[in-house]
Amino acid sequence: MRHFNNKVAVITGAGSGIGQALAVALARQGARLALSDIDEAGLARTRSQLPSQTEVRLYRLDVTDRAAVDAHAAQVIADFGTVHLLFNNAGSALLGTFANQTLEEARWLVDLDLWSVIYCSKAFLPYMLAQKEGCIINISSIAGLVGLPGLNTYNLVKFAVRGLTESLWSELAGSGVSAVCVHPGGIKTNIDRASRRCA
C-alpha cells in the first residue's frame, strides 16, 4: 500500500499506547479511522489528538468476545463501506513464573492476545479478499522472537501470533491482501499498568 489517504484503517486497542500513536499517524496521512477499545475514556483521549478533519468512529469493543467482534466488523463495513487495514493491536501481558500462574490467568491472556487476533482476522479478511485489497498487521513483540523468563504465556501468545501471520503471508500471496507482523521492543505504553502479575 503506497499511501493511506482515504484508506479505512481498523485499530484495536486504540485508546492508548501503540494503538493511539497509530491512529494519530494515520490520521495525519488522511486515513479514515475505525478505532476500538474496551476503554471508552481512552478512545476519547485518542480522538482529541486527531486532526479536526479526520473521519473517525469510535467503538467500545471487547476483542475476546467473538460475537462482538463479528458484529463490529459488520458495523465498520456499514459505517465506512470497506476496510483496507486491520491493526490487531489490543492486548496485555502476564508477568510471573509458569509455576505461579493459574490456568485461569493464562487463559485470560491467550484470549486477549491470541484469540482476539484470530477473531478479528477472520471477521475482516473476507471483506479484504472480496475487494482484492487489504493488509492485516499483527502486533507481536520481541517476546515473539525470544523466550524470556517471567513472560512464558506472553511468549506463547506472541510466538503464536508470529506463526499465524507468517502462514497468512504465504496463503494470501497473489490475492491482493497481505499480512505482516510487527515485533516491538520495550516501548513506554500503558501495557505495564494493564498487565497482570502472578505471585
Side-chain angles (χ1 to χ4, degrees):
M1 201 166 288
R2 295 174 182 269
H3 67 85
F4 300 110
N5 188 50
N6 207 39
K7 299 297 184 183
V8 175
V10 174
I11 306 173
T12 67
S16 64
I18 292 173
Q20 185 176 85
L22 283 168
V24 172
L26 287 164
R28 288 174 178 166
Q29 296 186 59
R32 304 159 66 200
L33 303 178
L35 307 180
S36 68
D37 204 299
I38 202 165
D39 177 7
E40 293 180 283
L43 283 175
R45 288 190 292 272
T46 297
R47 184 174 197 167
S48 71
Q49 296 182 36
L50 304 178
S52 58
Q53 72 274 16
T54 305
E55 182 182 350
V56 56
R57 288 182 182 263
L58 308 180
Y59 307 85
R60 185 187 185 280
L61 178 65
D62 178 357
V63 290
T64 69
D65 183 335
R66 179 183 175 184
V69 169
D70 288 343
H72 174 60
Q75 189 61 56
V76 168
I77 297 303
D79 291 341
F80 290 90
T82 186
V83 58
H84 301 100
L85 299 155
L86 168 62
F87 291 88
N88 281 315
N89 170 71
S92 189
L94 179 62
L95 311 177
T97 65
F98 183 76
N100 286 328
Q101 71 180 242
T102 66
L103 291 177
E104 289 71 25
E105 288 170 327
R107 186 173 291 111
W108 165 78
L109 191 67
V110 171
D111 286 345
L112 181 56
D113 283 16
L114 177 57
W115 275 108
S116 68
V117 173
I118 296 170
Y119 292 156
C120 290
S121 298
K122 285 290 284 185
F124 284 99
L125 180 58
Y127 300 107
M128 295 181 179
L129 288 172
Q131 68 192 13
K132 296 184 169 74
E133 181 185 14
C135 185
I136 296 172
I137 303 96
N138 293 328
I139 307 300
S140 179
S141 165
I142 193 70
L145 299 171
V146 180
L148 302 169
L151 286 174
N152 47 85
T153 301
Y154 188 69
N155 285 138
L156 181 154
V157 294
K158 293 304 184 180
F159 267 81
V161 167
R162 173 190 171 191
L164 170 64
T165 310
E166 290 182 0
S167 181
L168 274 175
W169 177 80
S170 297
E171 292 175 2
L172 294 171
S175 69
V177 182
S178 58
V180 296
C181 198
V182 182
H183 297 275
I187 297 176
K188 190 174 182 180
T189 69
N190 190 45
I191 193 170
D192 185 59
R193 185 172 63 83
S195 299
R196 294 187 183 181
R197 288 166 172 79
C198 313

